[in-house]
Amino acid sequence: MEPSALLLFAASYLAVLILPGPSVTALIARVLAQGLGGAPAFVAGVVTAALLWFTLAATGLALLAASLGGVFEVLRYAGAAYLLYLAWKLWRAPIRPLAAPPPAADAGRMFLAGLAVNLGNPKAMMFFFALLPTVVDLGGLTLLGFFELALVTAGICTSVLMGYALAAARARRLFTSPRALRLMNRGGGAVMAGTAVTIVAR
């Protein structure tokens, strides 16, 4: 694929991801409340969903997916329900020292949360469907070109989300008292619940 086309795609995708959406909001809330534990798994879930949306668009299935609106409505409500469950758990979470490792099952739950947030956002698919035809000839897209675009997608998505997570982790270190940590847990839970409501209200 032409380097100029890859660069244009990368710049456009970066510009969209830098603006905080449901995925960024939920990630920051979780990191502020309980630290970086689980953040890489959440990011992996978001990236997996982004690659799924990219694949649907790149293979010309975006129109088919758009016609199955009911399926995506179910995904959206399921994702919102799962976020509400996580918000409730965060609200009631015990206060752990900043250095305490996350529970063993946390990574799996956070991966599913990231997956649910992004799969519940069909606008992510529509972004790929709108952008790809402007930078590549989808009819002549080679396997190598597909993997180049997928690599750019995964790299940018991971970098932006982990950047937000690391910034939130630095901010969290300013709060060390049990009362502050409890307030952050509950604030994070409230923000995550708000994200769920936003997803449903779209």
Side-chain angles (χ1 to χ4, degrees), residues 2 9 48 119 143 153 159 166 174 185:
E2 290 292 326
F9 173 80
T48 300
L119 285 180
L143 190 59
T153 298
S159 299
L166 291 171
L174 300 174
N185 277 358

Side-chain angles (χ1 to χ4, degrees), residues 6-144:
L6 274 177
L7 186 60
L8 178 59
F9 173 80
S12 302
Y13 191 47
L14 179 62
V16 167
L17 283 185
I18 283 179
L19 298 174
S23 298
V24 170
T25 303
L27 176 62
I28 289 176
R30 173 57 164 72
V31 172
L32 282 175
Q34 301 216 322
L36 279 173
F42 182 92
V43 171
V46 174
V47 170
T48 300
L51 288 173
L52 175 62
W53 288 136
F54 163 74
T55 301
L56 286 173
T59 56
L61 293 178
L63 288 175
L64 175 61
S67 70
L68 300 175
V71 172
F72 293 108
E73 283 297 300
V74 170
L75 283 174
R76 187 158 62 103
Y77 285 108
Y82 192 66
L83 279 182
L84 285 174
Y85 167 74
L86 289 178
W88 177 73
K89 295 284 283 184
L90 201 51
W91 184 274
R92 299 182 68 246
I95 302 303
R96 296 199 309 261
L98 291 179
D106 197 47
R109 287 200 306 270
M110 293 310 294
F111 177 84
L112 289 175
L115 194 67
V117 168
N118 210 4
L119 285 180
N121 183 18
K123 287 183 180 178
M125 176 196 64
M126 295 315 294
F127 164 77
F128 286 120
F129 186 61
L131 176 65
L132 284 174
T134 68
V135 295
V136 297
D137 173 16
L138 290 177
L141 183 63
T142 65
L143 190 59
L144 177 61

